Amino acid sequence: GDRKSAVVVSIPRDSMTRAPSDCKDPKSSVADGPIRQWNANYSLGGPACLIRTVEGTTGIFIDHFMVVNFLGFQSMVDALGSVEVCLPQAVNDPKSHLNLPAGLSRVTGKEALAFVRVRHNIGNDASDLGRIDRQQAFLSSMIQEATSTNLLLRPDKLFRFLDAATKSLTTDPALGNLNALREVAQSVVGLKSSQIRFVTVPVEAYPPDHNRVQWTSAADPLWTSI
């Protein structure tokens, strides 16, 4: 609320949790709903169903939402110019067409999209959890790029960035214009990148299907603290 810190929480898409039995019925509660894979809620009922699932499983109320598609993500990186990534070992993946050396590299939109989506030939951790780690690292680099280039203090740069984002962005009505997004962006001018923390919901294997995960009891104090 004071815009001095932020927490980014990643939820694995194959998490098995309670969900509304009928995504199209606003009265359908999560408490007595079925166990369903997390990303299925979005497929069944879009943002509304997923938001109800978040609220019902975490107790956190969602004020606003944004959905960024692949094209929007790519455009946002291009609007920044490029973003720095660091790889412990070289990656050459024919499936995603990602070819980067070990160490530091700067990537533009298309390479960035391949980087956050890559699932093969990426060392020892090609799992969803490994991909979440890479996505969080990339978002951290994007934040550092935006603050180091004074994006938030330059109306021309900020407008270009937001204009690229909104072309492929779905939001709730209150955030549905450039001016509203600009106000949100400029409200965090004083936020230090060191005060942005990335966490992933603690998970363990889901007993009926070890290709899926379930949240551990350690998730409860995370939601409570937020």
Side-chain angles (χ1 to χ4, degrees), residues 16 204-214:
M16 303 298 291
E204 61 191 5
Y206 179 59
D209 182 353
H210 283 200
N211 291 315
R212 305 287 179 261
V213 297
Q214 63 184 15

Side-chain angles (χ1 to χ4, degrees), residues 21-113:
S21 56
D22 183 355
C23 279
K24 293 180 171 57
D25 179 4
K27 295 180 181 177
S28 180
S29 74
V30 171
D32 56 359
I35 302 291
R36 186 186 296 140
Q37 188 167 313
W38 192 256
N39 59 345
N41 296 301
Y42 188 88
S43 301
L44 288 169
C49 186
L50 188 56
I51 287 169
R52 282 167 55 207
T53 306
V54 171
E55 293 178 347
T57 53
T58 69
I60 298 169
F61 186 77
I62 304 298
D63 295 291
H64 301 287
F65 75 88
M66 299 183 191
V67 180
V68 185
N69 68 18
F70 292 143
L71 180 61
F73 175 83
Q74 187 171 317
S75 300
M76 289 165 75
V77 175
D78 282 333
L80 284 175
S82 62
V83 173
E84 190 173 73
V85 298
C86 183
L87 287 166
Q89 60 192 74
V91 174
N92 186 358
D93 178 38
K95 290 182 181 291
S96 65
H97 306 292
L98 184 66
N99 189 351
L100 292 173
L104 294 172
S105 297
R106 294 198 73 86
V107 296
T108 53
K110 191 172 183 179
E111 288 177 309
L113 183 57

